[in-house]
């Protein structure tokens, strides 16, 4: 199993260091977080992925879903195709609009009442 590690340094005098370990090298979801005191190095807390609720897991997956990393190479290909379709919609819309402007307007057809005698 590949793993990646991120280190978030402390901010301010009372800050803590956070180390995040990812289970896969290309994704951010499924990470475990360790929190340490910046001065003593004491472990202040541990937050495993298994302890997170569904909302926290979905937030962790947000970036991975948007870049297609959540499903590996097929997910990246699917994300590319969807992006290509979304990028082509304004171009094709402009093309259709521009084509309608170039067409000549047809004259309206006037239907005249015929000289048919009424049977009243």
């Amino acid at each position: 199993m590949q793993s990646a590690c991120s280190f978030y340094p402390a901010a301010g005098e009372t800050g803590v260091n956070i180390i995040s370990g990812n289970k896969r090298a290309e994704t951010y979801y499924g990470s475990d977080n360790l929190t340490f005191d910046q001065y003593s190095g004491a472990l202040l807390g541990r937050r495993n992925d298994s302890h997170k609720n569904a909302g926290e897991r979905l937030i962790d997956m947000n970036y991975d879903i948007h870049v297609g990393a959540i499903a590996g190479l097929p997910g990246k290909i699917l994300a590319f195709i969807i992006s290509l379709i979304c990028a082509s919609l304004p171009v094709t819309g402009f093309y259709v609009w521009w084509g309608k402007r170039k067409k000549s307007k047809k004259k309206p057809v006037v239907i005249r009442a015929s000289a048919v005698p009424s049977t009243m």
Side-chain angles (χ1 to χ4, degrees), residues 43-101:
L43 180 64
L44 298 176
R46 180 182 180 118
R47 180 82 177 184
N48 292 338
D49 183 56
S50 59
H51 296 126
K52 295 177 183 176
N53 62 30
E56 291 171 327
R57 287 184 184 167
L58 186 62
I59 290 170
D60 288 347
M61 289 182 196
N62 187 30
Y63 178 76
D64 297 324
I65 291 171
H66 281 86
V67 296
I70 199 148
L73 184 61
K76 289 181 181 183
I77 292 170
L78 182 65
F80 173 74
I81 292 170
I82 291 171
S83 301
L84 195 62
I85 290 170
C86 291
S88 69
L89 287 176
V91 175
T92 56
F94 177 79
Y95 181 73
V96 170
W97 173 78
W98 191 260
K100 286 183 179 182
R101 281 187 38 176

Side-chain angles (χ1 to χ4, degrees), residues 2-72:
Q2 295 180 347
S3 64
C5 183
S6 302
F7 176 73
Y8 303 100
E13 294 180 11
T14 60
V16 294
N17 293 320
I18 299 173
I19 297 176
S20 177
N22 300 329
K23 294 179 182 172
R24 297 184 192 141
E26 295 184 6
T27 59
Y28 292 103
Y29 74 96
S31 64
D32 298 332
N33 297 324
L34 301 173
T35 306
F36 296 96
D37 182 65
Q38 75 172 350
Y39 297 109
S40 67
L43 180 64
L44 298 176
R46 180 182 180 118
R47 180 82 177 184
N48 292 338
D49 183 56
S50 59
H51 296 126
K52 295 177 183 176
N53 62 30
E56 291 171 327
R57 287 184 184 167
L58 186 62
I59 290 170
D60 288 347
M61 289 182 196
N62 187 30
Y63 178 76
D64 297 324
I65 291 171
H66 281 86
V67 296
I70 199 148

